[in-house]
Structures are given as structure tokens and as C-alpha cells.
Amino acid sequence: MWLVKHILPKNPRHLAKLLNELRRDNAQSWEVQNVIVSSFHHDKIRKLQELEPKLKLALLTDSEFIEIEKYLSTNGLNSYSYHPEINLISKETVEILHKNGVKVFVWLVNKEEDLDYLVKIGVDGVITNYPDIMKELLM
């Protein structure tokens, strides 16, 4: 099971506190490989990468990158995944990201027809308000 955390403190000095809270809240099963932290603030996740290099980091976005491949290679992040808003993803983008070893988790997916489309184009997962319903639809 994945924990996708996409809320980061406004003050970058509090990032170490966030890491400690993640460890505390998940003390029974804390494994850094099971946590993905995503944010619209790519500078903050870059700082988290410095504090915990094994942490999986994701670029959360609600705007389209014109050259996503170039951005990924020049932003200084070891991005595990890319989290675009649902209207910003295409099969071509999924293929480019997968070619670069980046997983794709799309948000906010709350409709069956959207889930069907995303499965067809090969995304790795979705972020939804209805995880139980989406899981049932995938079975």
C-alpha cells in the first residue's frame, strides 16, 4: 500500500519536522520506500531529497510542462513519479515519462470513465476522493 503525502509546510525549515512526523505516524511500518511525497512546490521536495535521499518524490502539477523530459533532466530532482491533473495527461506523455523511469499518478480521478481512459493509456495509479470505489472498479 502507498502513502502519498502531498501537503508540505510553508516554511522550508519545517521539512525535517515533516520527516519526523512521517516516521512517527508510521512507526509500526515505516519504510521510506512506501512513502511518496508530492508537492506543487518543487523547491521544497528538492530540500526533502537532501534530508532523506531514499524518499520517493513526485512532481505535483496543475499546469502542463511543455518539455517534461527536459524539465525532469534539469530540475535537480530524482523524481519517482509525476502527478498531473487529469486534463493534462496523454498517452504520449505517459510513454515519455515511463521511458525516463518515472511513474505516473493522475489526480483527481473520481469518475469511472476517467479511470477507464487512464488505464487504457497506461498510468501507474490515480489519486482520488473515492479509493474504495476506484479499487472496486479495477477488480
Side-chain angles (χ1 to χ4, degrees):
M1 173 173 288
W2 287 98
L3 167 63
V4 179
K5 182 84 171 175
H6 61 265
I7 300 171
L8 290 178
K10 291 182 180 180
N11 186 331
R13 294 180 301 209
H14 297 147
L15 292 173
K17 183 178 177 184
L18 171 69
L19 275 175
N20 288 334
E21 288 175 8
L22 280 170
R23 289 181 180 119
R24 184 195 68 227
D25 292 347
N26 299 286
Q28 300 293 352
S29 62
W30 169 255
E31 293 183 35
V32 72
Q33 67 266 21
N34 291 337
V35 176
I36 300 172
V37 178
S38 67
S39 175
F40 291 110
H41 306 283
H42 301 170
D43 57 325
K44 290 182 182 175
I45 57 175
R46 188 176 297 108
K47 179 65 176 167
L48 272 175
Q49 182 175 274
E50 294 170 15
L51 295 171
E52 180 58 76
K54 293 181 181 177
L55 192 63
K56 289 181 170 78
L57 302 173
L59 304 173
L60 182 64
T61 185
D62 60 359
S63 61
E64 192 168 11
F65 289 108
I66 294 171
E67 295 181 59
I68 185 64
E69 197 168 15
K70 183 177 180 182
Y71 182 75
L72 288 169
S73 67
T74 61
N75 69 12
L77 284 168
N78 182 14
S79 301
Y80 173 79
S81 57
Y82 177 64
H83 300 177
E85 188 175 30
I86 190 166
N87 63 344
L88 300 175
I89 197 68
S90 67
K91 184 170 181 59
E92 179 184 23
T93 303
V94 171
E95 290 171 354
I96 289 168
L97 291 160
H98 284 167
K99 183 179 84 173
N100 285 278
V102 177
K103 295 195 178 297
V104 181
F105 296 88
V106 178
W107 67 277
L108 190 61
V109 182
N110 291 326
K111 297 179 189 170
E112 183 175 357
E113 58 269 20
D114 291 338
L115 180 64
D116 290 342
Y117 167 72
L118 295 169
V119 167
K120 285 178 188 170
I121 67 169
V123 302
D124 299 287
V126 298
I127 300 168
T128 180
N129 288 329
Y130 309 108
D132 292 338
I133 294 170
M134 293 295 128
K135 185 177 178 182
E136 189 175 305
L137 290 171
L138 290 170
M139 295 181 147

